């Protein structure tokens, strides 16, 4: 962190200086004594010292004060009495003189303390793919991530802390109207703080038994809202993070273009083992342009075929033993499905366990079959089975469109490639899928694609 050079307040402690001046005199005249009083320099106010700093230094100072729990205002870089008082409190808590101006040693101690607190919660600035919004996330507090077309949700394992980013379109929204709406939804919110500006609004208070903080902003007809919920027992830990998250939230970053987000350097997806000799069906897009494809526990994989029309890929691993391929014969008869895959490591706190989620399938006018709700990141390529264990197809997550025409319905964010399409693809490439196992968790594998 950059050190802030504090102003040195100099108070002259000189005694009265006397100088004798002997003007030209006439004979017999008595010399006169003239006393000169030095002018004591005016004291510089702490606010003046802060104003003299570079904007970046003031922003860093406010951020660090917020992280140590002394500053609870907006991190804007603007000089305020609140900022000066926060500096004084930090100085008093360290046993120093509360001057409101940090010396280099104090500034260094503040920066180190703030850095340790950031590291303790796993502070990271991330770009959320569904919206393109940038925000700070305390990844150690909320390691579990789920996302869909409407935004994302980060949660702690026990739900004591939750971070929600939501998006929606509204006709002619205003911050005042949105603030009033959010005060009432969900029912039971009590509000103790409200700020409404032309381009954003802030609410905080209680939501059930949890404290909440909400910051909303809009652009055109699109509304994006960051909501942080936390148990009251977590207040000491979470409140400094809330201030930092509010400051870091950039709902509509400049330069974000319409279209899918850039491809990840390392992308995680799911594959389904469909034969004893190492054939794996996977997501074509998630396994494209890879300089290395890896199946953990089995080693490298080759991509030997693809179906561009249905976004399927055929991978092969060689020399693997004890594979447990999935039975893809039969025909699913239900629209309520179990989607089995391996979520992105960030979603499961670094883990690699297979899991299942519920989803309903619906036919779209485009001919696609949409899955709702979409499964978590990492599930693209997952196996879909009905409650009777019959194979329904492969679930694919679609690249999210960050922006689009006003009032346009967002495209489906998860689709189902039907079982017949999967079987025809495998048959065309001479894959002998003859397993009788309906154990999807044993059949799915994590696929890791590494790109340049």
């Amino acid at each position: 962190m950059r050190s802030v050079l504090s102003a040195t307040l100099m108070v002259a402690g000189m005694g009265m200086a006397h100088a004798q001046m002997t003007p030209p005199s006439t004979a017999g005249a008595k010399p006169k004594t003239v006393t000169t009083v030095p002018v004591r320099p005016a004291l510089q106010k702490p606010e003046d010292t802060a104003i003299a700093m570079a904007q970046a230094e003031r922003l860093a100072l406010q951020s660090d004060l917020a992280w140590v729990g002394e500053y609870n205002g907006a991190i804007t870089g603007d000089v305020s009495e609140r900022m000066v008082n926060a500096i004084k409190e930090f100085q008093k808590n360290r046993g120093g003189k509360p001057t409101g101006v940090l010396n280099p040693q104090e500034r260094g101690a503040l920066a180190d303390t703030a850095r340790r607190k950031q590291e303790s919660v796993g502070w990271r600035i991330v770009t959320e793919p569904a919206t393109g919004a940038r925000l700070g996330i305390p990844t150690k507090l909320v390691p579990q991530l789920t996302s869909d077309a409407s935004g994302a949700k980060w949660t702690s394992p026990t739900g004591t802390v939750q971070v929600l980013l939501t998006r929606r379109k509204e006709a002619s929204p205003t911050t005042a109207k949105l603030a009033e709406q959010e005060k009432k939804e969900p029912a039971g919110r009590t509000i103790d703080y409200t700020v409404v500006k032309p381009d954003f609004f802030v609410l905080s208070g209680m939501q059930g038994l949890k404290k909440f903080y909400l910051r909303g902003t809009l652009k055109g007809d699109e509304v994006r809202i960051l909501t942080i919920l936390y148990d009251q027992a977590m207040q000491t830990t979470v409140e400094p993070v809330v201030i930092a998250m509010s400051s870091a939230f950039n709902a509509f970053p400049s330069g974000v273009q319409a279209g899918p987000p850039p491809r990840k350097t390392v992308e995680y997806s799911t594959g389904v083992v469909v034969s004893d000799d190492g054939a794996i069906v996977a997501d074509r897009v998630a396994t494209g342009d890879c300089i290395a494809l890896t199946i953990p526990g089995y080693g490298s994989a080759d991509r030997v075929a693809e179906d561009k029309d249905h976004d399927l890929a055929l991978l092969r691993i060689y020399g693997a033993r004890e594979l447990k391929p999935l039975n893809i014969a039969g025909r699913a008869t239900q629209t309520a499905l179990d989607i089995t895959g391996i979520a992105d490591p960030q979603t499961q706190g670094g883990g690699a366990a297979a899991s299942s989620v519920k989803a309903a399938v619906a036919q779209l006018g485009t001919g696609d079959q949409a899955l709702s709700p979409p499964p978590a990141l990492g599930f693209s390529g997952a196996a879909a089975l009905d409650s009777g264990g019959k194979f329904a197809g492969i679930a694919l997550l679609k690249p999210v469109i960050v922006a689009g025409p006003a009032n346009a319905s967002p495209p489906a964010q998860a689709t189902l490639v039907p079982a017949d399409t999967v079987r025809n693809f495998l048959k065309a490439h001479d894959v002998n899928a003859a397993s009788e196992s309906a154990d999807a968790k044993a059949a799915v594998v994590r696929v890791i694609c590494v790109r340049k």
Side-chain angles (χ1 to χ4, degrees), residues 268-274 279-283 287 294-295 313 315 326 340-342 378-383 394-395 440-448:
Y268 297 87
S269 60
T270 296
V272 181
V273 178
V274 291
I280 298 171
V281 65
D283 177 355
T287 58
T294 303
I295 311 297
L315 312 182
L326 182 68
T340 301
I342 302 177
F379 263 68
S380 201
I394 296 294
K441 287 187 177 180
V444 296
V445 293
R446 170 171 279 172
V447 181
I448 305 175

Side-chain angles (χ1 to χ4, degrees), residues 18 46 55 131 143 169 294 301 304 400 410 435:
H18 298 276
Q55 172 76 356
T131 61
K169 289 185 179 292
T294 303
V304 297
V400 178
S435 172

Side-chain angles (χ1 to χ4, degrees), residues 1 17 36 38 108 146 162 180 234 301 340 343 349 421:
M1 301 292 290
T36 303
T146 56
Q162 301 172 27
E180 288 303 313
M234 297 290 292
T340 301
T421 301

Side-chain angles (χ1 to χ4, degrees), residues 402-433:
V402 174
N407 301 317
S409 298
Q413 296 306 308
T415 59
L416 181 73
V417 181
D420 285 343
T421 301
V422 177
R423 287 191 285 263
N424 290 338
F425 170 62
L426 296 174
K427 183 178 179 180
H429 295 284
D430 300 321
V431 174
N432 180 24

Side-chain angles (χ1 to χ4, degrees), residues 259-436:
R263 301 294 294 276
K264 296 179 179 179
T265 303
V266 178
E267 184 168 1
Y268 297 87
S269 60
T270 296
V272 181
V273 178
V274 291
S275 73
D276 291 322
D277 60 354
I280 298 171
V281 65
D283 177 355
R284 181 185 73 87
V285 177
T287 58
D289 303 321
C290 309
I291 60 173
L293 267 174
T294 303
I295 311 297
Y298 297 100
S300 298
D302 290 339
R303 196 167 90 150
V304 297
E306 65 176 26
D307 179 349
K308 292 184 178 179
D309 292 332
H310 301 101
D311 282 334
L312 294 176
L314 176 61
L315 312 182
R316 276 199 178 274
I317 51 178
Y318 301 96
R321 299 180 180 179
E322 300 182 358
L323 294 173
K324 298 179 180 179
L326 182 68
N327 179 8
I328 62 170
R331 185 177 299 276
T333 59
Q334 301 163 15
T335 58
L337 304 176
D338 289 314
I339 312 299
T340 301
I342 302 177
D344 186 288
Q346 184 179 357
T347 302
Q348 50 178 314
S355 59
S356 297
V357 296
K358 300 288 186 181
V361 62
Q363 191 74 32
L364 299 179
T366 59
D368 290 336
Q369 297 187 50
L371 292 172
S372 180
L377 293 175
F379 263 68
S380 201
L385 279 69
D386 69 9
S387 62
K390 297 295 185 181
F391 180 66
I394 296 294
L396 299 180
L397 298 179
K398 296 298 184 179
V400 178
I401 302 300
V402 174
N407 301 317
S409 298
Q413 296 306 308
T415 59
L416 181 73
V417 181
D420 285 343
T421 301
V422 177
R423 287 191 285 263
N424 290 338
F425 170 62
L426 296 174
K427 183 178 179 180
H429 295 284
D430 300 321
V431 174
N432 180 24
S435 172
E436 296 183 358

Side-chain angles (χ1 to χ4, degrees), residues 11-17 37-41:
V11 179
M14 299 181 293
M16 301 294 284
V37 180
V39 177
R40 187 182 298 270

